[in-house]
Amino acid sequence: MRRGFGVFCSTAVLLAALGGATGCDPVVDLSGGRHPVPLPEPAPASAQWIVDLVGGLNVPPQCPKPTLPTMVVLDTDGQERAMAFWLVDNVDVCYAVINQAGVTPTTIWFAAIADLVPRTPMPADTTAGVDSYAFTAFRGRVDDIEVDGDTDHLVSPVRHRTIDLGAGDLITFAAYHYRIPATGRPLTLTLCTPTGPCRDAH
């Protein structure tokens, strides 16, 4: 089984790198300062296999190793597939797409939370015919998030969790599991909430 990790940087950071910068630092407002974010409840004991698996991988250097008290599991299918995230602090997040059922490797990303909120969700894989997860975030508490379009390719509905980053700053993290058409034809998926515009979901 192949395993690896990816690091997601914003467009602004990529442009800075092209201009000579050497890091991959998120472009966010740090005027309020960074601070840890305690979760109200730990991940269940049944998720220990995810902690053990990720802890044994070469994660991005910005990511601490997850633990049950710091990790949120958004979706899992036995011990074959899972989608989980853990916060670095109130500014950055790490997330893992775990696949032990096929050729797609387990992949771990690092992202600025502020970069996830306005953008098209980042798919874990774009290979035709494979299962993939996409991860994104919404500002505030969002309870009803749905995927419209080619829903026959949706493996599971949207799973989400709202986290208080501090002082009532709520962020709703969301993920969904879908299958990319084997034919390579375009896949039309739209992520919608009760308020606000829909966003492209693939």
Side-chain angles (χ1 to χ4, degrees):
M1 177 177 63
R2 295 179 296 119
R3 293 175 178 172
F5 69 82
V7 177
F8 164 70
C9 304
S10 68
T11 302
V13 175
L14 292 175
L15 291 176
L18 292 175
T22 58
C24 182
D25 298 319
V27 180
V28 293
D29 180 9
L30 297 180
S31 58
R34 293 178 179 266
H35 59 79
V37 178
L39 299 181
E41 60 185 40
S46 59
Q48 184 63 47
W49 72 274
I50 301 175
V51 172
D52 295 341
L53 175 64
V54 173
L57 297 178
N58 183 22
V59 301
Q62 304 95 327
C63 294
K65 300 289 186 180
T67 64
L68 289 179
T70 63
M71 188 176 68
V72 174
V73 180
L74 288 179
D75 196 23
T76 184
D77 178 13
Q79 293 192 12
E80 291 190 343
R81 300 181 192 277
M83 170 72 217
F85 72 88
W86 60 102
L87 296 171
V88 178
D89 49 30
N90 61 313
V91 175
D92 299 320
V93 64
C94 298
Y95 55 103
V97 175
I98 297 168
N99 183 354
Q100 302 196 95
V103 297
T104 304
T106 291
T107 311
I108 303 170
W109 278 271
F110 165 84
I113 297 170
D115 287 340
L116 290 175
V117 172
R119 71 183 310 278
T120 296
M122 172 68 75
D125 198 341
T126 57
T127 305
V130 308
D131 283 16
S132 187
Y133 279 97
F135 183 68
T136 190
F138 296 85
R139 189 161 295 283
R141 182 180 298 279
V142 184
D143 292 323
D144 297 311
I145 309 172
E146 295 184 350
V147 175
D148 293 331
D150 295 336
T151 54
D152 55 320
H153 287 86
L154 193 65
V155 179
S156 69
V158 178
R159 314 291 189 186
H160 56 84
R161 175 80 174 269
T162 301
I163 304 294
D164 187 343
L165 300 181
D169 182 15
L170 301 181
I171 294 289
T172 298
F173 295 95
Y176 45 95
H177 181 189
Y178 63 99
R179 185 166 295 115
I180 300 170
T183 60
R185 71 173 177 81
L187 178 62
T188 302
L189 291 175
T190 305
L191 199 61
C192 298
T193 65
T195 60
C198 295
R199 65 175 76 169
D200 186 6
H202 173 67

